Amino acid sequence: MFTVTVTEAVDETDSVKVLRLARTDGRPLDPYPAGAHVDVTGPTGITRPYSLCGSPGDTGAYTIAVKREADSRGGSQALHDKAAPGTRLTVGAPRNLFALAPDAAEHHLVAAGIGITPLLAMAYELHAGGAGFRLHYVARSRAEAAFAGLLDASPFTDRVVRHFGLGRQTAGKVLAEALTGLPAGAHVYTCGPHDFMAHVREAAARSLPGEHIHAELFGAAADPREQGADRPFEVELDTGEVYIVPPGRSITEVLEENGQALDTSCREGICGTCVLRVLEGEPDHRDHCLTAKEKAAGDQIAACVSRAKSARLVVEPW
């Protein structure tokens, strides 16, 4: 983690604030691949992951967009109310769980609402590399579409298909048509509300295999621990210690209570900070940070939300 200073704070829409963050010590920032996010610790000490939405080649400042959430537990609300030019925040190094496929024949980026943020960085990178892509952007209205003006003025504006004010059913139908009959080498990337991404996944799956469809959750789903009747299981560290994880408690919480500190951040299965290596046992994946392929491999687990299908998991912190 390192300290950054807010150099710009712009109200992009009524509910979205864009912050530019430069290193307080004046040094250049590390470059990052499109789709990456950083953990940001705000003025009230709450840490949340935010996608980097500027041009990945810009090492002068990181750009993030913060939507004020109605049910905010203090993270987005504090950044809206207290982050201004000169405010100091703490951020972690960029991490990428939503990467572009380097071997894709073409790329289809599909965003809804604030889900535009990681896809905007992807559009910058694809345009810079001369790759073929299309960016579909769904919003209730142009006034509620963050970065609408920036996209109009961007060098890739002709690659942007705007679906503003269509309504959910019409927008869904339009997207389904746009994602029908894609060539075998195409990849689809989507970010937005859960039901929106489910619709995009379903539409894209009619012509593409699952590993060609990539999704980035923006905001937590319902608490995975409330999705069904859980049962206790054992978690064993590679050093031999064994602990019982009861219903209603996470692996992370149990390990912390027993003095086994883990790196954690969102605690919602989104950021991937607490992912552990699984040496034995079968994970019950409930996160939104591992890919379908990684979940199928069964050798990793997001300790903050996921559980076990087997009686015991043997894990190794990375």
Side-chain angles (χ1 to χ4, degrees):
M1 302 288 281
F2 52 93
T3 304
V4 296
T5 300
V6 177
T7 59
E8 293 180 47
V10 177
D11 291 325
E12 179 69 21
T13 71
D14 288 345
S15 62
V16 176
K17 172 173 280 189
V18 175
L19 302 175
R20 292 266 295 170
L21 312 172
R23 284 192 69 120
T24 302
D25 60 12
R27 296 167 55 190
L29 291 157
D30 291 335
Y32 60 89
H37 69 271
V38 292
D39 294 332
V40 178
T41 303
T44 55
I46 295 175
T47 300
R48 288 287 181 268
Y50 290 96
S51 295
L52 294 169
C53 54
S55 171
D58 181 4
T59 58
Y62 289 156
T63 301
I64 63 172
V66 182
K67 181 180 180 181
R68 185 194 292 272
E69 300 291 349
D71 57 350
S72 171
R73 285 173 285 180
S76 66
Q77 183 174 331
L79 288 173
H80 267 262
D81 295 342
K82 299 181 178 181
T87 301
R88 293 190 176 187
L89 306 172
T90 302
V91 305
R95 290 181 291 123
N96 197 3
L97 302 169
F98 190 45
L100 288 164
D103 57 348
E106 55 187 60
H107 305 263
H108 297 264
L109 318 178
V110 190
I114 192 63
I116 185 66
T117 50
L119 303 185
L120 181 57
M122 287 181 168
Y124 277 119
E125 186 164 302
L126 291 168
H127 174 75
F133 76 95
R134 184 73 64 189
L135 169 58
H136 293 272
Y137 186 9
V138 177
R140 292 193 184 93
S141 68
R142 180 180 172 86
E144 296 177 85
F147 303 112
L150 182 151
L151 289 170
D152 290 345
S154 73
F156 49 82
T157 187
D158 60 334
R159 305 288 186 94
V160 182
V161 185
R162 300 156 181 82
H163 308 287
F164 298 159
L166 296 182
R168 179 176 298 187
Q169 288 190 345
T170 301
K173 181 178 179 181
V174 170
L175 287 177
E177 292 174 351
L179 298 175
T180 296
L182 296 178
H187 281 242
V188 170
Y189 313 81
T190 184
C191 185
H194 305 165
D195 56 349
F196 172 82
M197 291 195 295
H199 177 78
V200 171
R201 282 176 176 272
E202 180 182 354
R206 293 170 187 153
S207 54
L208 298 176
E211 59 268 28
H212 285 207
I213 305 169
H214 314 267
E216 173 87 322
L217 182 70
F218 214 97
D223 189 341
R225 291 172 293 184
E226 299 175 357
Q227 292 179 354
D230 289 331
R231 58 180 178 76
F233 63 95
E234 295 177 339
V235 60
E236 178 181 344
L237 299 182
D238 60 326
T239 47
E241 298 90 340
V242 180
Y243 308 102
I244 296 175
V245 182
R249 305 291 289 169
S250 70
I251 298 173
T252 298
E253 291 168 338
V254 169
L255 292 182
E256 288 178 337
E257 288 168 0
N258 287 279
Q260 302 287 350
L262 295 177
D263 287 336
T264 63
S265 179
C266 72
R267 294 178 182 266
E268 296 173 331
I270 299 173
C271 70
T273 303
C274 64
V275 170
L276 307 177
R277 188 192 306 275
V278 176
L279 303 179
E280 294 180 27
E282 183 180 4
D284 180 3
H285 295 292
R286 301 182 180 186
D287 64 274
H288 299 277
C289 57
L290 297 178
T291 66
K293 186 176 182 180
E294 289 170 335
K295 290 178 180 177
D299 57 358
Q300 301 179 62
I301 187 170
C304 66
V305 294
S306 295
R307 300 184 64 81
K309 294 180 179 177
S310 53
R312 175 178 290 196
L313 286 178
V314 182
V315 300
E316 176 188 29
W318 293 101

